[in-house]
Amino acid sequence: MIMIAYKSLSRKDLAARIARDIPEGWYVNLGIGIPTLVADAIPAGREVILHSENGILGFGPAPAPDAIDPWLINAGKQHVTLNPGGSFFHHADSFAIIRGGHLDLCVLGAFEVAANGDLANWATSAQDSAPAVGGAMDLAVGTPRVWVATEHTTRDGAPKLVERCAYPLTAPGVVNRVYTNLAVIDVRDGHFVVTEMVAGLTRDALQAQTGVELMFEVPEYA
Amino acid sequence: MINKEVRDIADALSGIEDGQVVMVGGFGSVGQPDALIEGLIERGARDLTIVANNAGAGRIGLAKLMEAGRVRKIICSFPRSAGSVVFEELFRAGKLELEIVPQGTLAERIRAAGAGIPGFYTATTVGTLLARGKESRVFDGRTYVLEQALHADVALVEAWRTDRMGNCIYRESGRNFNAVMAMAARTTVVQSCGMVAAGVLDSEAIVTPGIFVDRIVVVPETANARIAEAGAA
Protein backbone atom coordinates (compact mmCIF):
# COMPACT_ATOMS: atom_id res chain seq x y z
CA MET A 1 0.00 0.00 0.00
CA ILE A 2 1.34 3.39 -0.94
CA MET A 3 0.92 6.00 1.80
CA ILE A 4 0.01 9.36 0.40
CA ALA A 5 0.56 12.47 2.48
CA TYR A 6 -2.46 14.60 3.26
CA LYS A 7 -2.87 17.67 5.38
CA SER A 8 -5.91 18.02 7.60
CA LEU A 9 -7.53 21.44 7.90
CA SER A 10 -6.67 23.72 10.80
CA ARG A 11 -9.62 24.91 12.91
CA LYS A 12 -9.42 28.26 11.16
CA ASP A 13 -9.35 26.70 7.68
CA LEU A 14 -12.27 24.44 8.62
CA ALA A 15 -14.24 27.52 9.70
CA ALA A 16 -13.37 29.22 6.40
CA ARG A 17 -14.48 26.11 4.46
CA ILE A 18 -17.88 26.26 6.20
CA ALA A 19 -18.20 30.02 5.69
CA ARG A 20 -17.74 29.51 1.94
CA ASP A 21 -20.97 27.47 1.80
CA ILE A 22 -23.17 30.02 3.60
CA PRO A 23 -25.02 32.11 1.01
CA GLU A 24 -25.73 35.82 1.25
CA GLY A 25 -28.89 36.61 3.15
CA TRP A 26 -28.97 33.59 5.45
CA TYR A 27 -29.68 34.02 9.16
CA VAL A 28 -27.22 31.82 11.05
CA ASN A 29 -26.50 30.79 14.63
CA LEU A 30 -22.98 29.62 15.47
CA GLY A 31 -22.30 27.31 18.41
CA ILE A 32 -19.31 27.39 20.74
CA GLY A 33 -15.91 26.14 19.54
CA ILE A 34 -15.00 25.81 15.85
CA PRO A 35 -18.43 27.20 14.78
CA THR A 36 -17.65 30.50 16.52
CA LEU A 37 -14.64 30.92 14.23
CA VAL A 38 -16.99 30.97 11.23
CA ALA A 39 -18.03 34.51 12.23
CA ASP A 40 -14.59 35.84 11.35
CA ALA A 41 -14.40 33.85 8.10
CA ILE A 42 -17.47 35.10 6.22
CA PRO A 43 -16.14 36.31 2.84
CA ALA A 44 -15.88 40.11 2.61
CA GLY A 45 -18.93 41.74 1.06
CA ARG A 46 -21.24 38.77 1.70
CA GLU A 47 -24.10 39.74 4.00
CA VAL A 48 -24.79 36.88 6.41
CA ILE A 49 -26.80 37.81 9.52
CA LEU A 50 -25.47 36.16 12.67
CA HIS A 51 -27.82 35.41 15.57
CA SER A 52 -26.76 34.99 19.18
CA GLU A 53 -28.91 33.33 21.86
CA ASN A 54 -28.46 36.24 24.24
CA GLY A 55 -30.52 38.50 22.00
CA ILE A 56 -28.55 39.79 19.02
CA LEU A 57 -29.11 39.68 15.28
CA GLY A 58 -26.35 41.08 13.12
CA PHE A 59 -23.27 40.88 15.30
CA GLY A 60 -19.86 41.28 13.70
CA PRO A 61 -16.26 40.23 14.34
CA ALA A 62 -14.35 40.68 17.59
CA PRO A 63 -13.52 44.32 18.43
CA ALA A 64 -10.03 45.78 18.66
CA PRO A 65 -8.77 45.50 22.25
CA ASP A 66 -9.19 49.25 22.80
CA ALA A 67 -12.74 49.24 21.39
CA ILE A 68 -14.39 46.63 23.63
CA ASP A 69 -18.03 47.33 24.45
CA PRO A 70 -18.75 45.69 27.83
CA TRP A 71 -22.46 45.31 27.03
CA LEU A 72 -21.95 43.39 23.81
CA ILE A 73 -21.05 39.70 24.03
CA ASN A 74 -21.98 36.60 22.02
CA ALA A 75 -23.35 33.31 23.38
CA GLY A 76 -19.78 32.17 24.07
CA LYS A 77 -19.41 35.28 26.29
CA GLN A 78 -16.80 36.75 23.97
CA HIS A 79 -16.89 40.44 23.08
CA VAL A 80 -18.27 41.16 19.61
CA THR A 81 -19.30 44.16 17.51
CA LEU A 82 -22.65 45.10 15.99
CA ASN A 83 -23.07 45.48 12.23
CA PRO A 84 -25.24 48.22 10.71
CA GLY A 85 -28.86 47.07 10.91
CA GLY A 86 -28.22 44.89 13.95
CA SER A 87 -30.94 44.48 16.58
CA PHE A 88 -31.40 43.45 20.21
CA PHE A 89 -34.24 41.47 21.81
CA HIS A 90 -34.88 39.51 25.00
CA HIS A 91 -34.26 35.82 25.57
CA ALA A 92 -37.81 34.60 24.93
CA ASP A 93 -37.88 36.36 21.54
CA SER A 94 -34.41 35.06 20.81
CA PHE A 95 -35.60 31.49 21.24
CA ALA A 96 -38.83 32.22 19.39
CA ILE A 97 -36.49 32.99 16.48
CA ILE A 98 -34.77 29.64 17.04
CA ARG A 99 -37.69 27.39 17.96
CA GLY A 100 -40.02 29.05 15.48
CA GLY A 101 -37.82 27.92 12.59
CA HIS A 102 -36.88 31.45 11.49
CA LEU A 103 -33.14 30.85 11.18
CA ASP A 104 -31.73 29.30 8.00
CA LEU A 105 -28.87 27.42 9.61
CA CYS A 106 -27.08 26.59 12.82
CA VAL A 107 -23.52 25.30 12.97
CA LEU A 108 -22.82 23.24 16.09
CA GLY A 109 -19.93 21.30 17.57
CA ALA A 110 -20.30 17.60 18.40
CA PHE A 111 -19.02 14.82 20.62
CA GLU A 112 -20.59 12.33 18.19
CA VAL A 113 -22.76 12.35 15.08
CA ALA A 114 -24.56 9.21 13.90
CA ALA A 115 -25.33 8.18 10.34
CA ASN A 116 -29.05 8.66 11.08
CA GLY A 117 -28.42 12.32 11.90
CA ASP A 118 -28.48 11.94 15.68
CA LEU A 119 -26.41 14.60 17.42
CA ALA A 120 -24.64 14.30 20.80
CA ASN A 121 -22.90 17.46 21.96
CA TRP A 122 -23.95 18.31 25.52
CA ALA A 123 -23.29 15.54 28.04
CA THR A 124 -20.31 13.24 28.34
CA SER A 125 -22.32 10.36 29.80
CA ALA A 126 -25.76 9.49 31.13
CA GLN A 127 -24.11 9.62 34.57
CA ASP A 128 -22.99 13.22 34.02
CA SER A 129 -25.49 14.77 36.39
CA ALA A 130 -24.52 18.39 35.79
CA PRO A 131 -24.02 18.82 32.07
CA ALA A 132 -24.36 22.25 30.47
CA VAL A 133 -27.01 22.15 27.76
CA GLY A 134 -27.32 25.87 26.99
CA GLY A 135 -29.24 26.49 23.78
CA ALA A 136 -28.04 23.41 21.88
CA MET A 137 -31.27 21.39 22.13
CA ASP A 138 -33.45 24.31 21.02
CA LEU A 139 -31.14 25.05 18.09
CA ALA A 140 -30.96 21.40 17.04
CA VAL A 141 -34.74 20.93 16.84
CA GLY A 142 -35.72 24.43 15.73
CA THR A 143 -33.35 25.18 12.87
CA PRO A 144 -34.16 23.76 9.44
CA ARG A 145 -30.49 23.06 8.60
CA VAL A 146 -28.04 21.76 11.19
CA TRP A 147 -24.41 21.56 10.16
CA VAL A 148 -21.79 20.10 12.46
CA ALA A 149 -18.22 21.41 12.62
CA THR A 150 -15.82 19.01 14.32
CA GLU A 151 -12.48 17.29 14.22
CA HIS A 152 -12.96 13.96 12.44
CA THR A 153 -11.79 11.99 15.50
CA THR A 154 -11.25 12.64 19.20
CA ARG A 155 -7.79 13.59 20.49
CA ASP A 156 -7.27 9.89 21.16
CA GLY A 157 -8.14 9.01 17.58
CA ALA A 158 -11.56 7.53 18.34
CA PRO A 159 -14.15 8.15 15.62
CA LYS A 160 -16.75 10.87 16.19
CA LEU A 161 -18.81 9.81 13.18
CA VAL A 162 -20.52 6.62 14.30
CA GLU A 163 -23.32 4.15 13.59
CA ARG A 164 -25.21 5.10 16.77
CA CYS A 165 -24.29 7.71 19.39
CA ALA A 166 -23.07 6.37 22.73
CA TYR A 167 -23.24 9.81 24.36
CA PRO A 168 -26.63 11.20 25.44
CA LEU A 169 -28.42 12.80 22.49
CA THR A 170 -28.89 16.51 21.99
CA ALA A 171 -31.58 15.69 19.43
CA PRO A 172 -32.39 12.71 17.21
CA GLY A 173 -32.12 12.83 13.41
CA VAL A 174 -31.34 16.53 12.98
CA VAL A 175 -27.89 16.78 11.36
CA ASN A 176 -27.81 17.51 7.62
CA ARG A 177 -24.08 17.85 7.02
CA VAL A 178 -20.77 17.39 8.83
CA TYR A 179 -17.64 19.43 8.13
CA THR A 180 -14.52 17.86 9.59
CA ASN A 181 -10.82 18.62 9.28
CA LEU A 182 -10.72 15.80 6.69
CA ALA A 183 -13.96 15.88 4.70
CA VAL A 184 -17.39 17.28 3.97
CA ILE A 185 -20.04 14.65 4.59
CA ASP A 186 -23.78 14.83 3.96
CA VAL A 187 -26.29 12.89 6.04
CA ARG A 188 -28.75 11.29 3.63
CA ASP A 189 -31.32 8.57 4.33
CA GLY A 190 -29.39 7.11 7.24
CA HIS A 191 -25.99 7.23 5.54
CA PHE A 192 -22.91 9.41 5.61
CA VAL A 193 -22.12 10.47 2.04
CA VAL A 194 -18.67 11.99 1.49
CA THR A 195 -18.81 14.86 -0.99
CA GLU A 196 -15.35 16.32 -0.47
CA MET A 197 -12.01 15.22 1.02
CA VAL A 198 -8.79 17.11 1.73
CA ALA A 199 -6.15 16.75 -0.98
CA GLY A 200 -4.14 13.53 -0.78
CA LEU A 201 -6.57 11.70 1.50
CA THR A 202 -7.72 8.28 0.33
CA ARG A 203 -11.15 6.77 0.84
CA ASP A 204 -9.55 3.98 2.87
CA ALA A 205 -7.73 6.41 5.14
CA LEU A 206 -10.93 8.35 5.80
CA GLN A 207 -12.94 5.17 6.33
CA ALA A 208 -10.32 3.94 8.82
CA GLN A 209 -10.97 7.01 10.98
CA THR A 210 -14.77 6.67 10.84
CA GLY A 211 -16.97 4.43 12.98
CA VAL A 212 -19.54 3.59 10.33
CA GLU A 213 -19.41 2.70 6.65
CA LEU A 214 -19.15 5.75 4.41
CA MET A 215 -20.57 6.25 0.95
CA PHE A 216 -18.50 8.29 -1.48
CA GLU A 217 -19.38 10.84 -4.11
CA VAL A 218 -15.76 11.85 -4.61
CA PRO A 219 -13.02 10.33 -6.75
CA GLU A 220 -10.43 8.09 -5.08
CA TYR A 221 -7.93 10.93 -5.07
CA ALA A 222 -9.28 14.40 -4.60
CA MET B 1 -47.13 60.56 42.84
CA ILE B 2 -45.89 57.16 41.83
CA ASN B 3 -42.21 56.70 42.56
CA LYS B 4 -40.77 53.19 42.55
CA GLU B 5 -37.25 54.27 43.37
CA VAL B 6 -36.18 53.13 46.83
CA ARG B 7 -33.43 54.55 49.05
CA ASP B 8 -30.93 51.73 49.06
CA ILE B 9 -30.31 48.09 48.30
CA ALA B 10 -31.55 46.89 51.69
CA ASP B 11 -34.91 48.56 50.99
CA ALA B 12 -34.96 47.11 47.50
CA LEU B 13 -34.57 43.59 48.89
CA SER B 14 -36.86 43.87 51.91
CA GLY B 15 -39.29 40.99 52.25
CA ILE B 16 -37.08 38.34 50.66
CA GLU B 17 -37.41 35.36 53.00
CA ASP B 18 -35.94 31.89 53.45
CA GLY B 19 -37.07 29.33 50.89
CA GLN B 20 -38.15 31.78 48.20
CA VAL B 21 -37.61 31.46 44.46
CA VAL B 22 -35.37 34.26 43.16
CA MET B 23 -34.78 34.94 39.47
CA VAL B 24 -31.51 36.61 38.60
CA GLY B 25 -31.16 38.25 35.19
CA GLY B 26 -28.06 38.44 33.06
CA PHE B 27 -26.13 36.25 30.69
CA GLY B 28 -22.69 35.63 32.08
CA SER B 29 -21.86 38.94 33.73
CA VAL B 30 -23.64 41.14 31.18
CA GLY B 31 -26.92 42.47 32.55
CA GLN B 32 -26.38 40.68 35.86
CA PRO B 33 -27.54 42.80 38.83
CA ASP B 34 -24.36 42.36 40.88
CA ALA B 35 -25.21 44.90 43.59
CA LEU B 36 -28.56 43.21 44.27
CA ILE B 37 -26.83 39.82 44.54
CA GLU B 38 -24.36 41.31 47.03
CA GLY B 39 -27.31 42.74 48.92
CA LEU B 40 -29.00 39.36 48.96
CA ILE B 41 -25.91 37.88 50.61
CA GLU B 42 -26.09 40.58 53.29
CA ARG B 43 -29.80 40.08 53.77
CA GLY B 44 -29.07 36.49 54.79
CA ALA B 45 -32.11 34.64 53.41
CA ARG B 46 -31.38 30.91 53.11
CA ASP B 47 -32.64 27.85 51.23
CA LEU B 48 -33.20 29.97 48.16
CA THR B 49 -34.01 28.54 44.76
CA ILE B 50 -32.12 30.57 42.16
CA VAL B 51 -33.28 30.77 38.54
CA ALA B 52 -30.52 32.05 36.27
CA ASN B 53 -28.87 31.07 33.02
CA ASN B 54 -25.45 30.43 34.58
CA ALA B 55 -24.28 29.23 37.98
CA GLY B 56 -21.77 32.01 38.51
CA ALA B 57 -18.04 32.27 37.98
CA GLY B 58 -15.13 32.91 40.28
CA ARG B 59 -16.09 33.68 43.87
CA ILE B 60 -18.18 36.79 43.28
CA GLY B 61 -21.86 37.39 42.57
CA LEU B 62 -23.96 34.23 42.31
CA ALA B 63 -20.94 32.09 43.16
CA LYS B 64 -20.44 34.07 46.37
CA LEU B 65 -24.13 33.66 47.26
CA MET B 66 -23.80 29.90 46.78
CA GLU B 67 -20.53 29.78 48.69
CA ALA B 68 -22.25 31.54 51.60
CA GLY B 69 -24.58 28.54 51.76
CA ARG B 70 -27.75 30.44 50.89
CA VAL B 71 -28.79 28.45 47.83
CA ARG B 72 -30.61 25.13 48.08
CA LYS B 73 -31.35 24.69 44.39
CA ILE B 74 -30.36 26.25 41.11
CA ILE B 75 -32.43 26.11 37.93
CA CYS B 76 -30.26 26.98 34.93
CA SER B 77 -29.19 25.98 31.43
CA PHE B 78 -25.41 26.24 31.69
CA PRO B 79 -23.97 25.58 35.15
CA ARG B 80 -20.52 24.61 33.97
CA SER B 81 -18.29 27.19 32.41
CA ALA B 82 -14.72 28.32 32.86
CA GLY B 83 -14.38 29.45 36.45
CA SER B 84 -17.60 27.93 37.86
CA VAL B 85 -15.53 26.52 40.74
CA VAL B 86 -18.00 27.17 43.56
CA PHE B 87 -20.80 25.40 41.71
CA GLU B 88 -18.54 22.42 41.05
CA GLU B 89 -17.47 22.17 44.70
CA LEU B 90 -20.97 22.43 46.17
CA PHE B 91 -22.56 20.19 43.57
CA ARG B 92 -19.98 17.47 44.03
CA ALA B 93 -20.42 17.67 47.81
CA GLY B 94 -24.17 17.16 47.37
CA LYS B 95 -24.94 20.57 48.86
CA LEU B 96 -26.73 21.98 45.84
CA GLU B 97 -29.74 20.70 43.94
CA LEU B 98 -29.64 21.27 40.19
CA GLU B 99 -32.37 21.43 37.55
CA ILE B 100 -30.95 21.65 34.03
CA VAL B 101 -33.31 23.35 31.57
CA PRO B 102 -32.50 24.02 27.91
CA GLN B 103 -32.00 27.75 27.48
CA GLY B 104 -34.99 28.34 25.23
CA THR B 105 -37.27 26.28 27.44
CA LEU B 106 -36.01 28.24 30.46
CA ALA B 107 -36.80 31.55 28.75
CA GLU B 108 -40.24 30.37 27.64
CA ARG B 109 -41.15 28.89 31.04
CA ILE B 110 -40.36 32.27 32.57
CA ARG B 111 -42.26 34.13 29.85
CA ALA B 112 -45.24 31.79 30.29
CA ALA B 113 -45.34 32.55 34.02
CA GLY B 114 -45.45 36.25 33.28
CA ALA B 115 -48.09 35.79 30.61
CA GLY B 116 -50.47 33.67 32.69
CA ILE B 117 -49.89 30.51 30.67
CA PRO B 118 -49.50 27.42 32.89
CA GLY B 119 -47.71 25.26 30.34
CA PHE B 120 -46.72 24.84 26.72
CA TYR B 121 -45.47 22.19 24.33
CA THR B 122 -42.02 22.24 22.73
CA ALA B 123 -40.04 19.84 20.54
CA THR B 124 -36.91 20.69 22.51
CA THR B 125 -35.62 17.64 24.49
CA VAL B 126 -37.79 15.12 22.60
CA GLY B 127 -35.77 11.89 22.31
CA THR B 128 -33.25 12.96 24.99
CA LEU B 129 -32.61 12.29 28.69
CA LEU B 130 -34.16 15.65 29.57
CA ALA B 131 -37.57 14.50 28.33
CA ARG B 132 -37.72 11.68 30.89
CA GLY B 133 -40.90 11.74 32.93
CA LYS B 134 -42.48 14.53 30.91
CA GLU B 135 -45.89 14.28 29.27
CA SER B 136 -45.76 14.37 25.51
CA ARG B 137 -48.26 14.89 22.76
CA VAL B 138 -48.25 14.67 18.97
CA PHE B 139 -49.31 17.70 16.90
CA ASP B 140 -49.37 17.34 13.11
CA GLY B 141 -47.27 14.19 13.33
CA ARG B 142 -44.50 15.69 15.47
CA THR B 143 -43.90 14.92 19.16
CA TYR B 144 -43.67 17.71 21.72
CA VAL B 145 -43.13 17.65 25.49
CA LEU B 146 -45.17 19.58 28.02
CA GLU B 147 -43.25 22.22 29.97
CA GLN B 148 -44.66 24.20 32.86
CA ALA B 149 -44.47 27.88 33.71
CA LEU B 150 -41.71 28.92 36.11
CA HIS B 151 -42.83 31.49 38.68
CA ALA B 152 -40.71 33.40 41.16
CA ASP B 153 -41.23 35.28 44.37
CA VAL B 154 -38.68 37.88 43.37
CA ALA B 155 -36.89 38.84 40.15
CA LEU B 156 -33.62 40.75 40.35
CA VAL B 157 -32.93 42.48 37.05
CA GLU B 158 -30.54 45.07 35.71
CA ALA B 159 -31.74 47.86 33.42
CA TRP B 160 -29.86 50.65 31.67
CA ARG B 161 -32.30 53.52 32.19
CA THR B 162 -35.50 53.71 34.22
CA ASP B 163 -38.02 56.35 35.24
CA ARG B 164 -40.05 56.70 38.43
CA MET B 165 -42.97 54.83 36.83
CA GLY B 166 -40.76 51.74 36.48
CA ASN B 167 -40.39 51.88 32.72
CA CYS B 168 -37.11 50.25 31.66
CA ILE B 169 -34.81 50.09 28.72
CA TYR B 170 -31.79 47.83 28.58
CA ARG B 171 -28.41 48.14 26.94
CA GLU B 172 -27.42 45.97 23.99
CA SER B 173 -27.01 42.30 24.97
CA GLY B 174 -27.77 43.24 28.59
CA ARG B 175 -31.48 42.76 27.87
CA ASN B 176 -31.26 38.93 27.72
CA PHE B 177 -33.24 37.29 30.56
CA ASN B 178 -33.91 40.58 32.36
CA ALA B 179 -36.94 41.65 30.36
CA VAL B 180 -38.57 38.21 30.65
CA MET B 181 -37.85 37.75 34.35
CA ALA B 182 -39.27 41.20 35.10
CA MET B 183 -42.68 39.82 34.04
CA ALA B 184 -42.57 36.56 35.95
CA ALA B 185 -42.15 37.41 39.65
CA ARG B 186 -44.50 38.61 42.38
CA THR B 187 -41.97 41.33 43.15
CA THR B 188 -39.58 42.71 40.55
CA VAL B 189 -36.57 44.66 41.76
CA VAL B 190 -34.57 46.64 39.21
CA GLN B 191 -30.95 47.62 39.61
CA SER B 192 -30.82 50.62 37.30
CA CYS B 193 -27.72 52.19 35.84
CA GLY B 194 -29.52 55.54 35.87
CA MET B 195 -32.87 57.29 36.45
CA VAL B 196 -34.40 59.72 34.00
CA ALA B 197 -37.47 61.92 34.41
CA ALA B 198 -40.83 60.45 33.40
CA GLY B 199 -41.39 61.26 29.73
CA VAL B 200 -37.73 61.14 28.78
CA LEU B 201 -37.73 57.49 27.65
CA ASP B 202 -39.17 57.11 24.15
CA SER B 203 -42.61 55.55 24.73
CA GLU B 204 -42.24 53.63 21.45
CA ALA B 205 -39.02 52.05 22.65
CA ILE B 206 -39.76 51.12 26.27
CA VAL B 207 -38.96 47.42 26.64
CA THR B 208 -40.37 46.75 30.11
CA PRO B 209 -43.44 48.85 30.92
CA GLY B 210 -43.56 50.02 34.53
CA ILE B 211 -46.47 47.73 35.40
CA PHE B 212 -43.99 44.86 35.74
CA VAL B 213 -41.67 46.75 38.10
CA ASP B 214 -42.07 47.19 41.86
CA ARG B 215 -38.81 48.71 43.10
CA ILE B 216 -35.84 50.46 41.56
CA VAL B 217 -32.46 51.12 43.08
CA VAL B 218 -29.84 53.12 41.22
CA VAL B 219 -26.35 51.62 40.92
CA PRO B 220 -24.18 53.38 38.34
CA GLU B 221 -22.40 50.95 36.04
CA THR B 222 -18.80 49.99 36.61
CA ALA B 223 -17.73 49.30 33.07
CA ASN B 224 -14.17 48.31 33.77
CA ALA B 225 -15.15 45.63 36.27
CA ARG B 226 -17.52 44.17 33.72
CA ILE B 227 -14.87 43.89 31.02
CA ALA B 228 -12.59 42.05 33.44
CA GLU B 229 -15.33 39.62 34.46
CA ALA B 230 -16.47 38.87 30.93
CA GLY B 231 -12.87 38.34 29.92
CA ALA B 232 -12.39 35.84 32.73
CA ALA B 233 -15.58 33.92 31.90
Side-chain angles (χ1 to χ4, degrees):
Chain A
M1 184 176 155
I2 302 165
M3 293 301 290
I4 297 168
Y6 65 86
K7 193 165 177 292
S8 64
L9 298 180
S10 67
R11 289 161 60 91
K12 202 176 158 202
D13 288 345
L14 174 52
R17 175 63 197 85
I18 295 165
R20 232 168 68 203
D21 285 352
I22 303 175
E24 166 132 332
W26 274 20
Y27 290 86
V28 180
N29 183 291
L30 302 171
I32 292 170
I34 296 169
T36 300
L37 303 176
V38 174
D40 295 330
I42 306 287
R46 188 183 298 179
E47 227 163 20
V48 171
I49 310 290
L50 299 178
H51 169 270
S52 187
E53 287 94 316
N54 55 326
I56 315 172
L57 268 173
F59 72 87
D66 61 350
I68 287 173
D69 177 346
W71 292 90
L72 196 50
I73 59 168
N74 63 15
K77 303 188 176 75
Q78 298 158 316
H79 294 290
V80 291
T81 48
L82 192 71
N83 290 331
S87 56
F88 301 116
F89 32 86
H90 61 61
H91 245 88
D93 279 355
S94 185
F95 280 83
I97 287 171
I98 294 171
R99 211 187 302 99
H102 302 283
L103 295 174
D104 295 291
L105 167 72
C106 67
V107 185
L108 300 173
F111 296 148
E112 285 179 327
V113 185
N116 61 2
D118 289 359
L119 171 64
N121 78 350
W122 72 290
T124 49
S125 83
Q127 284 70 48
D128 183 355
S129 50
V133 67
M137 285 190 181
D138 305 279
L139 282 162
V141 304
T143 315
R145 293 178 196 84
V146 178
W147 294 354
V148 164
T150 179
E151 307 288 338
H152 200 85
T153 63
T154 67
R155 275 182 202 133
D156 303 330
K160 297 179 88 168
L161 276 66
V162 294
E163 175 79 40
R164 289 288 176 270
C165 292
Y167 287 102
L169 294 188
T170 304
V174 294
V175 177
N176 304 103
R177 188 182 291 170
V178 184
Y179 292 82
T180 79
N181 52 329
L182 300 181
V184 180
I185 301 163
D186 281 348
V187 177
R188 279 187 230 155
D189 305 323
H191 300 284
F192 284 129
V193 182
V194 181
T195 61
E196 190 177 307
M197 298 194 296
V198 296
L201 181 66
T202 64
R203 293 180 180 184
D204 284 349
L206 185 65
Q207 182 64 67
Q209 299 177 67
T210 308
V212 57
E213 193 175 346
L214 297 168
M215 298 172 73
F216 290 89
E217 281 185 2
V218 285
E220 176 59 66
Y221 300 108
Chain B
M1 190 176 82
I2 295 172
N3 185 6
K4 297 185 179 181
E5 186 177 359
V6 297
R7 256 184 326 181
D8 55 25
I9 285 172
D11 277 3
L13 298 175
S14 68
I16 299 184
E17 304 295 345
D18 292 359
Q20 290 193 332
V21 178
V22 180
M23 289 178 174
V24 180
F27 185 85
S29 64
V30 177
Q32 185 175 280
D34 297 326
L36 292 179
I37 297 168
E38 286 287 333
L40 193 54
I41 296 168
E42 279 178 34
R43 183 162 171 83
R46 311 184 73 85
D47 288 322
L48 299 172
T49 293
I50 296 293
V51 180
N53 188 63
N54 302 93
R59 295 188 184 274
I60 54 165
L62 274 183
K64 191 170 164 189
L65 181 72
M66 291 190 291
E67 194 168 33
R70 307 292 165 69
V71 182
R72 182 176 62 80
K73 178 178 181 180
I74 183 153
I75 302 174
C76 68
S77 88
F78 209 85
R80 277 189 178 151
S81 49
S84 57
V85 283
V86 173
F87 168 80
E88 295 281 349
E89 287 165 11
L90 292 174
F91 186 73
R92 225 178 292 124
K95 291 178 177 167
L96 194 63
E97 208 180 313
L98 173 70
E99 181 179 342
I100 286 281
V101 184
Q103 204 170 117
T105 299
L106 183 62
E108 191 64 12
R109 287 179 64 192
I110 296 166
R111 196 198 72 85
I117 294 169
F120 60 93
Y121 285 95
T122 175
T124 304
T125 75
V126 170
T128 78
L129 295 174
L130 293 186
R132 278 188 307 196
K134 287 179 186 160
E135 286 181 51
S136 67
R137 186 169 163 182
V138 175
F139 296 88
D140 291 330
R142 189 175 186 190
T143 304
Y144 298 79
V145 298
L146 178 63
E147 295 285 356
Q148 296 194 23
L150 185 53
H151 295 268
D153 296 294
V154 183
L156 308 181
V157 312
E158 184 180 49
W160 173 242
R161 291 290 179 264
T162 44
D163 62 24
R164 63 178 177 81
M165 316 297 289
N167 296 310
C168 301
I169 60 167
Y170 303 88
R171 187 163 174 83
E172 301 179 342
S173 67
R175 188 179 308 191
N176 55 58
F177 277 97
N178 284 306
V180 212
M181 287 178 172
M183 301 166 62
R186 265 192 312 113
T187 302
T188 291
V189 182
V190 175
Q191 175 182 327
S192 171
C193 295
M195 292 293 282
V196 295
V200 168
L201 296 177
D202 179 355
S203 299
E204 298 280 4
I206 287 169
V207 177
T208 294
I211 191 169
F212 293 120
V213 172
D214 298 285
R215 302 173 195 160
I216 302 163
V217 61
V218 175
V219 180
E221 66 161 342
T222 49
N224 290 337
R226 281 171 190 290
I227 289 176
E229 280 174 45

